[in-house]
Amino acid sequence: MREIATVIDIAAPPERVWQVLTDLARYEEWNPFIRQASGVVAPGRRLKLKVFPAGRRPMTFRPTVKAAVPGEELRWLGRTALPGLFSGEHRFVLTDLDGGGTRVVQSEKFTGLLVPLLRRSITATVADFEALNKALKKRAGEAHSP
């Protein structure tokens, strides 16, 4: 198993950050990492996501939503067709900060036989998460500004 995580504080309430994260149709307007997204954000439903990792080829995958708690957590699980080969559980955890802001922890837990072979790609994904975080901060904060 391998896990990566990033953290960012956003000057907007969790409800606003949640709204941006779950408006999949608008990802192409602001999200530099997941530029195309569709589906219903509800447990048990599948999403269609197209990621554009920096310096690598775009990939489309269809993860299953595992948790969708408004203003708190969005989590999905993507995996290869062969069980045990490779899977990634992606999470956004939103924490209400005193003063009206939100701390967002974006993480992914990778498991499976291919994880050791993909260590460099997994490590490189941290920069993609950070780019997404910055764009999320800008998008949620702009819309929240008076």
Side-chain angles (χ1 to χ4, degrees), residues 18 22 39-47 64-68 74-75:
W18 178 261
T22 57
V40 177
V41 179
R45 300 297 298 264
R46 293 195 59 181
L47 305 176
T64 301
V65 176
K66 294 298 186 181
L74 174 58
R75 181 168 37 100

Side-chain angles (χ1 to χ4, degrees), residues 17-62:
V17 176
W18 178 261
Q19 180 185 25
V20 173
L21 275 177
T22 57
D23 188 358
L24 303 178
R26 299 187 95 169
Y27 270 28
E28 65 184 342
E29 296 174 11
W30 66 270
N31 194 326
F33 181 47
I34 306 170
R35 295 187 202 164
Q36 297 172 11
S38 61
V40 177
V41 179
R45 300 297 298 264
R46 293 195 59 181
L47 305 176
K48 183 177 181 183
L49 306 176
K50 187 167 186 178
V51 297
F52 290 75
R56 293 172 281 152
R57 294 196 316 193
M59 297 175 284
T60 300
F61 64 104
R62 297 186 48 83

